[in-house]
Amino acid sequence: MRGLGLMRRPWHLAALLAAALLAACGDLPQPFRGNPGGNAGMLAAPPAYRLTIDPPTTALLSEQQARGFAEALSSALLAAEVPAAAEAPLPLDWRLTVEARTENGFVTPRYRLTDPDGQAQGTTEGTRIAARDWSDASPEVLRRAARDAAPRIADLLLRAEAARKGTDPAALAVTGPPRIYVPMVRGAPGDGNQALTARLREALGQQGMLVQETTQGARFAVTGQVAVIDQPATRTQRVELLWTVSRNDGEDLGRVLQLNEVPAGVLARFWGDVAFAAATEAAGGVRTVVSNAGGFPVQPGSAPRGTAPQPGQGLAMPQNPGALPPPQVAPAP
């Protein structure tokens, strides 16, 4: 266990902030310059959720047709004022699954809605389509089916969300500490997934957040992914921890990356104080991302949101990484 001493040195951290990265990419909305963006008219008051659509595998469509139908549904739902995307879901996204059944020469699409916790929230059916047309699945047929389905799905989603809020008063709260969903970390050897998850939940609580193990009522989420890369030449392993912070409207807010090297095999079983050190330092970066996204109530006399990270918050890579201070435990609120 002597090798664990190497892990007491500070982790090297960097942040890949989504806003900074996107600022250099294409024609972005600039509402304060008179350019609100192409979706501004139909999403003037977007709901606080996003719906993702996987290419259906049980809808009697080929892989290419399934991708085309998912994209057509996404476009039709956006036109119906439902934030939707045909892409991999973030932790707080709602999901739409598409199925189809054949009867008497017709195909009936069926749409199943699940919440971010994977709980079924209802189903609805589309208009029957001739089996021959569905088999051909031309772009026009898929667009027509998507336009038909969009208002049905939108109504199903709104009713499910209303029922969910009606039974969970916390979901209506707009003030107070931010509620953040922290699912299990993935990819770590030994007990790393469990240890890192537990320590991060504790550290975020010390940073003033309400940590949740389910998505119910959460406005933010942070997922952890670990990669351990063997380096035989030096008999060490490179450990990479990537923390991704997202919001319940589908916005990827930022990423905190931690790097370190350890003796080969030292993390094969127990992480112990290694998980504590990594999670404590990462929590400061996560807090800054959430704060810059408006997650904390503004206190009178406080600094304006969006200011640069302060020393010790773990979001800026210093010129001399070896000069990083050791992790400090935030005082209990």
Side-chain angles (χ1 to χ4, degrees), residues 219 247 288-298 302-308:
R219 185 181 173 194
R247 195 168 53 199
T288 299
V289 174
V290 171
S291 179
N292 286 344
F296 287 87
V298 177
S302 62
R305 177 166 53 91
T307 56

Side-chain angles (χ1 to χ4, degrees), residues 18-29:
L21 292 176
L22 292 174
C25 301
D27 181 21
L28 290 178

Side-chain angles (χ1 to χ4, degrees), residues 1 36 54 56 79 88 102 109 125 170 185 217 231 258 266 270 296 319 321 325:
M1 300 296 290
D54 289 326
T102 305
E125 291 187 349
V185 174
Q231 301 180 130
Q258 293 176 290
V266 76
F270 304 115
F296 287 87
Q319 293 181 351

Side-chain angles (χ1 to χ4, degrees), residues 138-321:
S138 67
E140 179 52 37
V141 168
L142 296 179
R143 284 194 293 268
R144 186 166 65 246
R147 288 194 297 267
D148 169 76
R152 305 168 191 249
I153 296 169
D155 181 65
L156 180 65
L157 182 60
L158 290 173
R159 285 189 284 111
E161 177 70 356
R164 178 179 166 118
K165 286 183 175 180
T167 59
D168 179 22
L172 298 173
V174 295
T175 60
R179 301 165 67 90
I180 186 165
Y181 167 53
V182 183
M184 186 67 66
V185 174
R186 298 178 297 172
D191 72 344
N193 291 339
Q194 294 79 7
L196 285 166
T197 303
R199 300 291 84 77
L200 182 69
R201 287 171 177 169
E202 293 171 359
L204 289 175
Q206 293 172 340
Q207 292 282 352
M209 302 183 217
L210 296 178
V211 180
Q212 302 186 179
E213 297 183 26
T214 66
T215 66
Q216 187 79 10
R219 185 181 173 194
F220 300 94
V222 56
T223 57
Q225 181 70 47
V226 182
V228 179
I229 304 165
D230 292 330
Q231 301 180 130
T234 57
R235 297 182 181 179
T236 61
Q237 291 176 314
R238 176 184 173 92
V239 183
E240 300 180 357
L241 279 67
L242 179 63
W243 307 97
T244 302
V245 185
S246 57
R247 195 168 53 199
N248 59 353
D249 60 359
E251 185 73 16
D252 188 341
L253 297 174
R255 302 179 184 184
V256 178
L257 176 65
Q258 293 176 290
L259 310 173
N260 213 328
E261 292 186 1
V262 301
V266 76
L267 297 178
R269 295 184 62 191
F270 304 115
W271 283 60
D273 61 348
V274 174
F276 175 83
T280 299
E281 193 158 323
V286 172
R287 189 191 194 285
T288 299
V289 174
V290 171
S291 179
N292 286 344
F296 287 87
V298 177
Q299 301 297 328
S302 62
R305 177 166 53 91
T307 56
Q310 300 302 307
Q313 290 181 315
L315 281 182
M317 177 67 82
Q319 293 181 351
N320 178 14

Side-chain angles (χ1 to χ4, degrees), residues 89-112:
L90 292 169
L92 297 178
D93 286 341
W94 292 66
R95 279 85 158 177
L96 184 70
T97 304
V98 185
E99 304 167 346
R101 59 182 175 85
T102 305
E103 185 178 5
N104 298 327
F106 289 89
V107 171
T108 303
R110 183 180 178 87
Y111 307 94
R112 185 183 307 276

Side-chain angles (χ1 to χ4, degrees), residues 37-158:
N39 291 333
M42 56 186 173
L43 296 177
Y49 54 75
R50 185 179 70 155
L51 181 66
T52 56
I53 308 151
D54 289 326
T57 59
T58 58
L60 310 176
L61 297 170
S62 70
E63 183 177 347
Q64 181 177 357
Q65 291 168 340
R67 287 197 301 268
F69 192 37
E71 292 170 359
L73 281 169
S74 173
S75 298
L77 286 165
L78 284 171
E81 301 188 15
V82 175
E87 60 186 48
L90 292 169
L92 297 178
D93 286 341
W94 292 66
R95 279 85 158 177
L96 184 70
T97 304
V98 185
E99 304 167 346
R101 59 182 175 85
T102 305
E103 185 178 5
N104 298 327
F106 289 89
V107 171
T108 303
R110 183 180 178 87
Y111 307 94
R112 185 183 307 276
L113 180 67
T114 56
D115 67 15
D117 288 318
Q119 301 297 314
Q121 297 295 318
T123 60
T124 187
E125 291 187 349
T127 301
R128 297 192 308 168
I129 300 171
R132 182 177 60 183
D133 292 341
W134 189 256
S135 177
D136 293 339
S138 67
E140 179 52 37
V141 168
L142 296 179
R143 284 194 293 268
R144 186 166 65 246
R147 288 194 297 267
D148 169 76
R152 305 168 191 249
I153 296 169
D155 181 65
L156 180 65
L157 182 60
L158 290 173

